[in-house]
Amino acid sequence: MDLDPRYLQTFFVVSRERGFSRAAAVLHRTQPAVSYQVRQLEEQLGAVLFDRTTRTLTLTDAGAKLHALCERFFDEFGRLARGLQAGDAPAEPLRIASVSGFGRYVLYPLLARERLAAPYSLRFPTAEQVFESLEDGACDVGFVYLPHVSSRLLTAPVWREQLVLVGPPGAKGKTFPRLEAFEDLTFVTYDECEYVFGKWFEGHYGRQPRSMRGTYHFEELEEVVSTVAAGHGWSILPDHCVAQAARQGTVVIAPAPGRKQVTNLIYSVQRANAPENPSALRLIDALRAAGEATAPRSKPRRRSSNPDTRSPRVASPRRTTTF
């Protein structure tokens, strides 16, 4: 369908002025010319835009929808034109989607400190919803806790988090040398905790407990930490989610069995066929730099072939692997 943009402008002025005569005066045209253009637009759309049976000109449902669309279009066009005349076109917002724990405790604080060249939007869906948003084109860059095998997505590690067992303040000093000890505990769970719990138990004991008792379940991690602090159970969380509560003494981080650490990588994800987004690359670089700055220094060691024991800086988001 080929619409004459002049018809849209004429319709918009008529709907805004609520009359053909007033619109004709604003547009410096004759009333018959204005009426003709609106009729042509209605024929092209196959819909009546104005209710002409009343003394006051009113919009039909179709006309109201088109008016709202024109309002957004002409507003955006005006801002773009002003920006181009000033030599500074407005930047498109960077659309970010991240799993909640990393997004709330690491990503948003970093965004608050960093000055990106473009504005941004930030959502906290599930990992599967992050992948769906990227594949649908509704998101520019995503952050998840596990890679996704897809020829349409580019994945690269950008952050390392340590998974920790967290208990109430009265549990300070309690240790768990045997896996069976967890069968006597109650756990506070949260959405997508199966991956975190499973990885922690596999990393420390090589298997899962035969049974686990749950007490409370939440969507977000703030409620999990508060419930553990109130003495209603234990939980396993990324370290950055409990760092402040542990410093304040409202929760305790249990000693790792055998002093072994279980870590997990956070991955950035972008569409493979999307144009390179400078704002997304700057954000990824800032995350990697912040991760390197906060990582504890250790003695040099041989590089492992296990991806969860390699430093995220070995992979560049500009030269990432296509899965």
Side-chain angles (χ1 to χ4, degrees), residues 174-187 200-201 205 207-213:
K174 186 174 178 62
T175 59
F176 300 90
R178 301 181 62 216
L179 182 63
E180 289 71 22
F182 291 99
E183 297 176 7
D184 298 327
L185 297 183
T186 55
F187 282 88
W200 190 87
F201 281 115
Y205 300 96
R207 59 189 177 93
Q208 307 294 317
R210 289 182 300 176
S211 63
M212 291 177 58
R213 289 185 296 160

Side-chain angles (χ1 to χ4, degrees), residues 291-308:
E292 291 175 357
T294 57
R297 296 184 179 275
S298 59
K299 294 181 180 180
R301 60 182 181 180
R302 293 169 56 189
R303 183 175 295 172
S304 169
S305 59
N306 183 344
D308 279 350

Side-chain angles (χ1 to χ4, degrees), residues 154-322:
L154 298 175
T155 307
V158 294
W159 189 272
R160 184 192 303 279
E161 60 186 14
Q162 182 182 343
L163 305 182
V164 294
L165 175 66
V166 184
K172 186 175 183 178
K174 186 174 178 62
T175 59
F176 300 90
R178 301 181 62 216
L179 182 63
E180 289 71 22
F182 291 99
E183 297 176 7
D184 298 327
L185 297 183
T186 55
F187 282 88
V188 182
T189 57
Y190 50 93
D191 289 0
E192 299 191 280
C193 71
E194 290 86 356
Y195 176 83
V196 175
F197 278 49
K199 184 156 191 173
W200 190 87
F201 281 115
E202 289 289 343
H204 285 301
Y205 300 96
R207 59 189 177 93
Q208 307 294 317
R210 289 182 300 176
S211 63
M212 291 177 58
R213 289 185 296 160
T215 52
Y216 297 87
H217 181 89
F218 297 99
E219 181 178 345
E220 298 295 346
L221 302 184
E222 291 88 344
E223 291 82 359
V224 175
V225 176
S226 297
T227 304
V228 170
H232 297 310
W234 293 68
S235 195
I236 301 171
L237 297 159
D239 56 349
H240 50 74
C241 299
V242 297
Q244 182 176 358
R247 287 194 299 268
Q248 295 172 345
T250 57
V251 300
V252 296
I253 297 177
R259 299 189 178 279
K260 177 183 177 182
Q261 292 184 354
V262 173
T263 60
N264 184 56
L265 292 180
I266 298 294
Y267 297 84
S268 68
V269 191
Q270 296 175 276
R271 293 190 305 279
N273 59 350
E276 188 174 87
N277 190 311
S279 295
L281 295 178
R282 278 193 292 272
L283 175 58
I284 292 171
D285 287 342
L287 277 170
R288 292 160 64 82
E292 291 175 357
T294 57
R297 296 184 179 275
S298 59
K299 294 181 180 180
R301 60 182 181 180
R302 293 169 56 189
R303 183 175 295 172
S304 169
S305 59
N306 183 344
D308 279 350
T309 60
R310 294 199 299 266
S311 170
R313 63 175 176 266
V314 302
S316 168
R318 294 180 178 83
R319 298 187 302 275
T320 186
T321 303
T322 304

